[in-house]
Amino acid sequence: MKIRKLFIGIVSIMFFTTLSAAIIEKDLTYNKYTLPDRYKYGKAEREFQWDKISNLLDELEAFETQNIRFGTLKNYKNVNGLAPVARQIGMEKYSDGSRPTVKDKFGNRRSQGIPLYIEGMMDRPERYAPDGSLISIISVGPEYVRLVVEAFDGEWLVPIRYVKEIEAKSFPRVVVVDRKNQNIATLEDVGDVWKVRSMNPASTGLDRPPYQLPTPLGIFVVQSKLNKMEYLKDGSRTEIEGYAPYATRFSGGGYIHGVPVNLPRTEMIEYSPTLGTVPRSHMCVRNATSHAKYVYGWAQVGKGLVFVIE
């Protein structure tokens, strides 16, 4: 039996449980704009969901223990091909007349998604998984990889072109993005304890397609980094509207980044009062720019994880 320690403010509170649970302690290495464990936004009560995070970290530990080959699913900008139409789909229509988006029955988008097949039912994928998802590889055949998606139940077959094996055997650094509470935390596995390294306000993606999309839920491997991620004006394929500093990509076009800078301004902006309020991004996770820089240097490509929770 493990003891779960969740440190709330200065007072430590112990929770005893018959189930294994990750031990979380505060030991901040980035301490600007730090939020308390529980706080108010308007009339709403907000919090860092340490119980949920502890359970997820425990699940991650079990996933690492039970598997020996890890990887990630890859289809950024549909580079490996638009996934086939799933067995059960829904359509997302837009008021501006743009082409509708196809989703599976779980709400995962076909565009930039990865098709997951059930053995013996290979005519159509059963569902889609988001780009960047953490997986364990069971076996590799000439055409398909048998695998487990950490955030989903069951075993799946995926065309080999969508799968990338990674060298990491464990994942000691985790970023947790909370869509419900509009906050972000970083945690590091140090011995038998997960140390909280930062607790900050963030703004996630707004569900207002076709240009603004919600930040996808799931467990993702850090994919790539851009010191300055340029973004286009809504509706344009060529006109650059500005850039987002210290951008860490985890799924599709979803980045953790600093405060956006719209042209003609060029100098970076450290903070925005809209952080931690309501979703407003284009799928990304906005942070104070210095915190985005911290994550940019701290979370390693192919080794760092991003948990997006509700």
Side-chain angles (χ1 to χ4, degrees):
M1 180 178 74
K2 280 190 179 180
I3 298 174
R4 187 189 333 180
K5 282 185 183 177
L6 304 184
F7 281 76
I8 310 300
I10 299 175
V11 180
S12 65
I13 300 177
M14 291 187 178
F15 296 87
F16 294 84
T17 176
T18 55
L19 300 176
S20 174
I23 302 172
I24 298 175
E25 295 180 358
K26 289 183 188 175
D27 187 7
L28 303 183
T29 52
Y30 175 91
N31 56 15
K32 297 178 70 175
Y33 318 111
T34 302
L35 293 169
D37 296 280
R38 296 184 177 89
Y39 56 97
K40 283 192 174 184
Y41 170 65
K43 295 182 179 180
E45 295 284 343
R46 288 189 172 175
E47 64 178 339
F48 286 87
Q49 299 187 70
W50 296 125
D51 278 345
K52 181 179 287 189
I53 293 169
S54 178
N55 290 334
L56 285 170
L57 293 173
D58 224 34
E59 291 174 12
L60 174 63
E61 182 181 352
F63 187 72
E64 292 170 339
T65 302
Q66 295 164 8
N67 299 284
I68 59 173
R69 297 176 69 183
F70 300 101
T72 183
L73 298 177
K74 308 276 284 186
N75 201 21
Y76 181 42
K77 296 184 178 180
N78 294 314
V79 66
N80 292 313
L82 183 64
V85 176
R87 196 171 305 279
Q88 297 183 50
I89 62 170
M91 304 294 288
E92 186 173 64
K93 297 182 179 180
Y94 309 135
S95 59
D96 68 350
S98 301
R99 185 176 180 180
T101 292
V102 174
K103 294 181 176 182
D104 66 16
K105 62 183 179 180
F106 303 98
N108 297 303
R109 288 177 171 80
R110 178 190 184 197
S111 180
Q112 301 191 77
I114 290 81
L116 304 184
Y117 293 87
I118 297 174
E119 188 169 18
M121 302 174 65
M122 302 299 291
D123 57 320
R124 286 192 178 187
E126 185 67 20
R127 64 180 301 176
Y128 305 123
D131 170 76
S133 295
L134 173 65
I135 62 168
S136 67
I137 297 171
I138 299 170
S139 61
V140 180
E143 296 183 43
Y144 293 90
V145 178
R146 184 182 298 276
L147 54 81
V148 173
V149 182
E150 207 286 343
F152 296 169
D153 292 330
E155 294 183 4
W156 305 93
L157 294 176
V158 175
I160 197 168
R161 66 183 181 274
Y162 294 103
V163 180
K164 179 182 179 181
E165 188 165 1
I166 56 180
E167 295 180 0
K169 300 303 178 186
S170 63
F171 304 92
R173 292 184 173 183
V174 171
V175 182
V176 180
V177 176
D178 187 332
R179 298 197 318 188
K180 177 182 177 181
N181 291 284
Q182 294 294 287
N183 60 41
I184 183 170
T186 57
L187 297 99
E188 185 171 7
D189 189 3
V190 181
D192 294 328
V193 177
W194 283 90
K195 300 281 191 177
V196 180
R197 298 309 196 188
S198 63
M199 299 167 58
N200 281 82
S203 295
T204 61
L206 177 63
D207 192 0
R208 186 185 290 167
Y211 306 118
Q212 291 176 284
L213 301 174
T215 305
L217 298 170
I219 299 176
F220 306 98
V221 180
V222 172
Q223 301 293 308
S224 61
K225 299 179 182 180
L226 289 172
N227 187 258
K228 290 185 177 182
M229 186 268 290
E230 293 182 329
Y231 52 86
L232 301 176
K233 185 175 182 180
D234 286 350
S236 172
R237 295 186 178 182
T238 58
E239 185 179 353
I240 296 173
E241 187 171 33
Y243 74 90
Y246 304 112
T248 301
R249 190 174 74 82
F250 59 94
S251 179
Y255 289 79
I256 297 170
H257 62 66
V259 178
V261 178
N262 289 331
L263 297 174
R265 180 176 179 139
T266 57
E267 67 272 19
M268 291 186 187
I269 303 167
E270 165 61 5
Y271 193 81
S272 168
T274 62
L275 294 174
T277 58
V278 295
R280 61 181 63 244
S281 188
H282 290 60
M283 186 180 181
C284 294
V285 183
R286 298 182 187 180
N287 289 245
T289 294
S290 59
H291 187 253
K293 184 178 181 180
Y294 173 82
V295 173
Y296 182 90
W298 181 83
Q300 296 175 286
V301 172
K303 296 181 179 180
L305 295 183
V306 177
F307 291 6
V308 182
I309 66 175
E310 192 70 82

